[in-house]
Amino acid sequence: DTAVSQTPKYLVTQMGNDKSIKCEQNLGHDTMYWYKQDSKKFLKIMFSYNNKELIINETVPNRFSPKSPDKAHLNLHINSLELGDSAVYFCASSQAAGEAYGYTFGSGTRLTVV
Amino acid sequence: AQSVSQHNHHVILSEAASLELGCNYSYGGTVNLFWYVQYPGQHLQLLLKYFSGDPLVKGIKGFEAEFIKSKFSFNLRKPSVQWSDTAEYFCAVNPAGGGADGLTFGKGTHLIIQP
C-alpha cells in the first residue's frame, strides 16, 4: 500500500482554470503538508495542517487553498491558474508537527499550465 | 526563521570516488536535520536524519552525515559512489520540539556519477 498517495500524477490545464490535487495518507500521521518544487528543483513549503490548525506560508497566493475533510486527507485547490503555477507539487505527512521521525512524501503531481 | 545553504549545486564524480556534499543551516535554536534524495522523476526519500545523540549518523545506501554544531553544518558523505547514486540531494531542517512549520530545504545538489 502506498503510504502517501497523490492524484493525479500529471495535470495539464489552461490559464484561468480551477483545479484540485488530492492527497491521502494511510500512516495515521497527524500532520500533512503541501510543498511546491519549481523548475530549479527548489522545494518550498506551502501549507501545513495539524488537528484542524492550518499554517500558511505567507508567500503563497490566496488562489491556493488546502482542504482537509479528515485527518487522512489534505487536498489542494487552485483557482485562476497562472503560468507561474507550473511546478511539481508534493504532499507529505509526519507523525506529529515538528517531530524528528521524518516526513513521508507522495510521488508528486506535475502541474503544467498552458 | 531557519534557512539552509547547500554549497554545491552541481557535482560530477566518477564511480568509486568519494563524496561529500556540504550543508549549513541558520537557526537560533535546536534543529532536527535531514538529508533527502530524489531520483530522476521520483519523490523524495529519506536518506538519514539527526535529532540528538551521536553526531555521526548512518543512513541507507551507505550514506552518512556528521553534525558539527559549532559550524552549523551537516555534511553528507559516501566513501565510494555508484552510478545509481545519480540524483538530486536535499538537506533540510526543522525546529526541534514542536511547531508545524514543516521542513525548510536547501536548494539541492544535483549529483551526476559517470560510469
Side-chain angles (χ1 to χ4, degrees):
Chain A
D1 279 344
T2 303
V4 179
S5 60
Q6 295 179 229
T7 54
K9 192 171 176 65
Y10 300 96
L11 180 56
V12 181
T13 187
Q14 291 185 326
M15 283 175 56
N17 284 352
D18 302 339
K19 291 292 179 186
S20 292
I21 306 172
K22 295 184 178 181
C23 178
E24 176 182 4
Q25 55 96 2
N26 62 6
L27 299 166
H29 285 172
D30 293 322
T31 307
M32 296 182 72
Y33 311 83
W34 278 104
Y35 287 84
K36 179 181 180 180
Q37 186 174 43
D38 64 23
S39 59
K40 295 183 178 179
K41 301 284 189 180
F42 183 48
L43 277 153
K44 195 167 184 180
I45 189 165
M46 301 176 71
F47 304 101
S48 65
Y49 199 87
N50 176 30
N51 289 331
K52 301 188 179 181
E53 179 192 11
L54 176 65
I55 297 177
I56 303 171
N57 184 317
E58 61 187 12
T59 67
V60 175
N62 58 14
R63 298 181 294 103
F64 290 79
S65 56
K67 299 187 190 302
S68 180
D70 54 56
K71 199 173 85 166
H73 297 83
L74 184 66
N75 303 325
L76 182 64
H77 189 75
I78 315 169
N79 289 327
S80 303
L81 279 155
E82 300 178 355
L83 293 176
D85 298 332
S86 295
V88 181
Y89 292 85
F90 287 98
C91 178
S93 69
S94 66
Q95 190 165 340
E99 279 295 337
Y101 296 104
Y103 298 71
T104 303
F105 284 81
S107 56
T109 296
R110 183 175 292 277
L111 171 66
T112 304
V113 183
V114 297
Chain B
Q2 59 272 23
S3 65
V4 179
S5 175
Q6 290 182 240
H7 313 302
N8 311 100
H9 295 302
H10 292 91
V11 174
I12 302 174
L13 294 172
S14 299
E15 276 194 312
S18 64
L19 170 71
E20 181 160 2
L21 301 181
C23 172
N24 285 90
Y25 69 93
S26 173
Y27 183 65
T30 305
V31 295
N32 303 312
L33 295 149
F34 305 82
W35 274 98
Y36 280 85
V37 61
Q38 186 178 27
Y39 298 105
Q42 295 192 23
H43 63 287
L44 290 116
Q45 299 175 40
L46 180 66
L47 275 178
L48 46 81
K49 60 184 184 286
Y50 171 84
F51 51 94
S52 67
D54 188 344
L56 184 61
V57 179
K58 294 194 184 298
I60 61 171
K61 302 178 189 284
F63 286 91
E64 65 178 32
E66 185 176 11
F67 171 50
I68 302 179
K69 191 174 181 180
S70 61
K71 295 184 177 181
F72 298 89
S73 70
F74 190 56
N75 293 352
L76 181 71
R77 301 194 291 249
K78 186 171 183 177
S80 177
V81 294
Q82 302 171 315
W83 177 79
S84 57
D85 292 325
T86 294
E88 197 83 21
Y89 291 80
F90 295 93
C91 182
V93 303
N94 73 351
D101 292 343
L103 289 167
T104 298
F105 286 90
K107 293 195 173 182
T109 297
H110 187 201
L111 175 66
I112 297 173
I113 306 299
Q114 296 176 330

